[in-house]
Amino acid sequence: MYPHALHHVQLAMPEGREDEARAFYGGLLGLEEEQKPEALEARGGVWFRRGELRLHLGVETPFAAARKAHPALEVRGLGALADRLERAGLAPRWDGALPGMRRFYIDDPFGNRIEFLEPV
């Protein structure tokens, strides 16, 4: 009867930039694209998944990036991910303020804030 699990997180993206979403979320982060239901395909956007993690990007017009609200993705191999992102020209913003976690933030191609963290 009550909520018991998080099904997915949705972030906004600008119209027509699905290939950039695929390059970042699929290419750099290694998430698998999930086929959207046929009834939703015309709306644009793209869905990703890895195991139980589901991240949906939906077209929003006018578009406004999420600068404060953000998903936090737990990672195995945080340092290796940071190196991979740096090689792609992105600059992780490290933050040591959360006890028991190493973490950094990065912006997706649309300016949405994404947090990556790993227990220490």
Side-chain angles (χ1 to χ4, degrees), residues 9 11 14 18-19 26 30 32 37-39 42-43 46-47 54 62 68-69 78 84-85 91 93 99 108 113 115:
V9 170
L11 293 172
E18 286 81 1
D19 286 344
E32 298 173 17
E38 189 175 326
R43 297 180 184 180
V46 62
W47 293 3
R54 290 184 177 135
K68 182 68 174 175
L78 188 69
R84 179 183 179 102
L85 294 169
R93 299 181 304 277
D108 76 1
R113 179 178 172 181
E115 178 179 349

Side-chain angles (χ1 to χ4, degrees), residues 10-18 36 43-46 56-67 110 112:
Q10 180 160 322
L11 293 172
M13 63 172 283
E15 184 176 5
R17 295 178 61 186
E18 286 81 1
K36 292 175 63 173
R43 297 180 184 180
V46 62
H56 296 178
L57 280 95
V59 171
E60 184 174 67
T61 305
F63 169 73
R67 305 296 302 157
F110 319 116
N112 293 311

Side-chain angles (χ1 to χ4, degrees), residues 34-54:
E34 184 176 11
Q35 183 68 42
K36 292 175 63 173
E38 189 175 326
L40 299 177
E41 291 216 4
R43 297 180 184 180
V46 62
W47 293 3
F48 297 95
R49 173 180 207 145
R50 182 176 190 110
E52 296 298 314
L53 172 69
R54 290 184 177 135

